[in-house]
Amino acid sequence: MRHAFRTLLTGIKSLYLHPMRSLLTVLGIFIGVASVIWLMAIGEGISQKAQEQIESLGADNIIVSTIKPPNEALASGSGGRGMQFPEYGLTRADFSRLTETIPTIVNAAPLKDYQETFQNGRWKVDGRLVGCTASYIDVVKITMFEGRFFTDEENKEARDYCVLGAGVAQTLFPYEEPLGKLIRIGDNYFFRVIGVADSRAPSAAIGSSLKSEDYSYDVYVPLQTMQTRVGDTVVVRRSGSMEGETVQLKQITLKVGDVDDVMQTSELIKLTLDKYHNKFEDYGITVPLELLEQAETTRMMFNVFMGLIAGISLVVGGIGIMNIMLATVTERTREIGIRRALGAKRRDIVRQFLIETIVLSVVGGILGILVGLTCAPVTKFVMGVLKRTNPDLIASLPPIVQEMTPIIVFWSVPLAFLISIIIGVVFGVYPAIRAAKMDPIEALRRE
């Protein structure tokens, strides 16, 4: 033990003789270890955010959405009549068929939406008008900030009630309580506010059947009220011409009683709808449970890929260690000859040089871990600076990246440190063996 300790002190002392060279060698390992931790933390943060968005849809939910077919398909589907307002998508009859014929479905929420302008006096904001039923709050997991959601009875009676999203409430009522107040929707309709939904993170687009949504600017009204006031046809006037479409339902969210039945239920939904939507493909099915499984697989592959990229930095650092130690062996040829002449064995020379490389790796690994653990606060600081100095750049990033917080992968810290030690040993063995194999007499002759 005492001999090993003296060898360690000798190795450290020899590194102190060339501090700049030792520091540059440590830098390679330091960057490699920090890169492993940082890249895997960023990858985990992005993956976690994506999974949260999918989980917010509900693992026991199945989302059926209306998809607008190409104009050519709509024209051919109309039998050449040149429909001014083509009809496509999910219908109220589809909703009845699905809920009445598939026993595994325990709850369902039909939905219709379109873009509209909301106004309270001089305050105005554009958002999404959502017509839904009372079950929507439970199926989609909306939480209320204040007030309440409308009931089934109020939906059947087509009451002029509305529930505001958090962003709409803040914009239209910056200085007053919104509950009980009237807001203007579009040009002709007034609705009374009975509740305000809690803030909810925007969702990213998923495939072609589920678009991204910012729920903060939603206004929820009873579906029957929307049907009575607006109808199924939405008309838009542009440059003296009228364009429109006839859609009964934009989305149906179905809740399955048991998660194990989700995949089988999605197949039954597809078989049921295909019978009545055979002209063209005007609907899509999104299964969050399936997306979660895919996201988990993608997360693992992404972490492995990021780890490999960072591992390259460690290998580069190891090559740097080998280069430095080979140069050290050449410089210390006479010292090696003197040690051998005084009785040092080859294993002593190997041990001395290996200890030096291990010390370099350990120091670099520790510094890399310390810097790697600062990933979250440094990323938050950089994002804050960019938001102030270059907001357009931040706005151009996907929402999932804007809201991402790096998450340290607990096993990446010991793994990166262990790899740094292994690399130090592997890349230090050859210089150490080369030093040990020197002929003492030839080493003493060299100046």
Side-chain angles (χ1 to χ4, degrees):
M1 179 65 70
R2 184 177 180 182
H3 180 66
F5 182 70
R6 289 179 60 186
T7 305
L8 175 62
L9 291 179
T10 303
I12 295 175
K13 182 179 178 181
S14 64
L15 294 176
Y16 269 119
L17 295 176
H18 304 281
M20 182 57 67
R21 186 166 64 187
S22 300
L23 180 62
L24 293 175
T25 308
V26 166
L27 189 61
I29 298 296
F30 155 73
I31 293 175
V33 172
S35 298
V36 170
I37 298 173
W38 273 60
L39 289 178
M40 297 194 73
I42 293 173
E44 184 71 12
I46 294 175
S47 300
Q48 187 70 28
K49 200 65 183 178
Q51 287 183 309
E52 287 176 3
Q53 291 190 344
I54 297 173
E55 287 173 353
S56 68
L57 301 175
D60 54 355
N61 286 348
I62 299 173
I63 302 169
V64 188
S65 307
T66 289
I67 299 176
K68 185 176 182 178
N71 292 329
E72 296 80 5
L74 289 174
S76 62
S78 65
R81 295 189 300 271
M83 297 174 64
Q84 185 179 10
F85 304 132
E87 183 174 358
Y88 63 90
L90 301 171
T91 65
R92 287 180 286 274
D94 291 330
F95 177 76
S96 299
R97 293 187 195 101
L98 295 176
T99 54
E100 293 172 4
T101 60
I102 301 179
T104 52
I105 296 175
V106 297
N107 204 351
L111 175 150
K112 183 176 181 179
D113 66 346
Y114 62 92
Q115 294 299 310
E116 191 55 278
T117 300
F118 312 114
Q119 188 170 355
N120 172 39
R122 64 188 181 91
W123 306 104
K124 184 185 296 186
V125 64
D126 293 327
R128 187 175 69 135
L129 180 63
V130 180
C132 56
T133 61
S135 59
Y136 186 74
I137 187 174
D138 296 322
V139 173
V140 186
K141 299 180 177 64
I142 294 177
T143 57
M144 299 299 295
F145 176 73
E146 59 180 343
R148 63 179 180 84
F149 213 73
F150 46 81
T151 64
D152 282 323
E153 190 66 27
E154 291 166 343
N155 178 53
K156 293 176 183 178
E157 295 174 357
R159 294 285 185 89
D160 293 329
Y161 289 163
C162 69
V163 176
L164 307 182
V168 175
Q170 292 172 5
T171 304
L172 297 185
F173 299 93
Y175 307 114
E176 59 180 326
E177 176 64 38
L179 295 183
K181 303 293 192 309
L182 290 174
I183 67 167
R184 186 174 183 173
I185 297 180
D187 297 328
N188 305 315
Y189 306 111
F190 288 87
F191 283 74
R192 189 171 301 279
V193 179
I194 63 171
V196 176
D198 206 348
S199 59
R200 185 179 176 186
S203 66
I206 300 176
S208 60
S209 59
L210 201 63
K211 61 183 181 180
S212 60
E213 296 292 351
D214 186 356
Y215 300 99
S216 296
Y217 291 91
D218 285 352
V219 173
Y220 307 99
V221 300
L223 183 60
Q224 188 59 41
T225 306
M226 179 182 284
Q227 170 65 22
T228 303
R229 303 289 186 275
V230 181
D232 295 332
T233 302
V234 177
V235 179
V236 179
R237 292 177 175 83
R238 291 193 182 95
S239 303
S241 64
M242 288 195 305
E243 297 178 5
E245 58 184 19
T246 301
V247 177
Q248 294 187 19
L249 296 174
K250 283 289 188 71
Q251 183 176 295
I252 301 174
T253 304
L254 304 161
K255 187 179 182 67
V256 181
D258 192 337
V259 175
D260 295 334
D261 296 329
V262 167
M263 303 307 297
Q264 182 181 2
T265 303
S266 69
E267 293 296 328
L268 292 175
I269 292 171
K270 189 176 190 312
L271 290 173
T272 303
L273 292 177
D274 281 346
K275 295 178 182 178
Y276 302 93
H277 294 260
N278 50 16
K279 288 185 179 180
F280 33 66
E281 188 176 347
D282 58 355
Y283 76 91
I285 298 177
T286 302
V287 185
L289 178 63
E290 185 178 23
L291 295 175
L292 278 172
E293 294 173 352
Q294 295 174 358
E296 180 63 24
T297 302
T298 303
R299 182 184 69 84
M300 294 176 62
M301 294 176 61
F302 191 67
N303 281 344
V304 170
F305 178 70
M306 298 290 270
L308 288 175
I309 293 176
I312 294 174
S313 300
L314 280 173
V315 173
V316 172
I319 294 174
I321 286 180
M322 178 181 285
N323 288 334
I324 292 299
M325 295 311 296
L326 286 173
T328 302
V329 169
T330 302
E331 291 178 355
R332 295 164 61 185
T333 300
R334 188 172 183 80
E335 174 193 336
I336 294 170
I338 293 173
R339 287 173 60 83
R340 292 295 308 279
L342 293 176
K345 299 180 179 179
R346 286 186 173 181
R347 64 171 178 268
D348 297 323
I349 303 299
V350 170
R351 186 184 301 116
Q352 178 183 346
F353 280 87
L354 275 181
I355 285 177
E356 292 180 19
T357 60
I358 292 174
V359 168
L360 290 171
S361 300
V362 168
V363 173
I366 292 175
L367 292 176
I369 289 173
L370 294 177
V371 174
L373 294 177
T374 65
C375 181
V378 170
T379 302
K380 183 178 180 180
F381 173 76
V382 171
M383 291 293 287
V385 171
L386 289 177
K387 285 180 180 179
R388 292 191 300 269
T389 59
N390 198 343
D392 293 337
L393 174 63
I394 298 297
S396 66
L397 297 175
I400 194 172
V401 177
Q402 295 182 33
E403 300 173 6
M404 179 272 302
T405 300
I407 300 174
I408 301 296
V409 181
F410 73 94
W411 52 264
S412 67
V413 176
L415 177 64
F417 185 72
L418 179 62
I419 292 176
S420 70
I421 300 299
I422 293 174
I423 284 179
V425 172
V426 170
F427 284 92
V429 165
Y430 174 70
I433 293 176
R434 183 175 174 179
K437 286 185 175 181
M438 282 188 175
D439 187 343
I441 297 176
E442 292 295 327
L444 285 171
R445 285 178 178 176
R446 187 173 300 180
E447 293 295 334

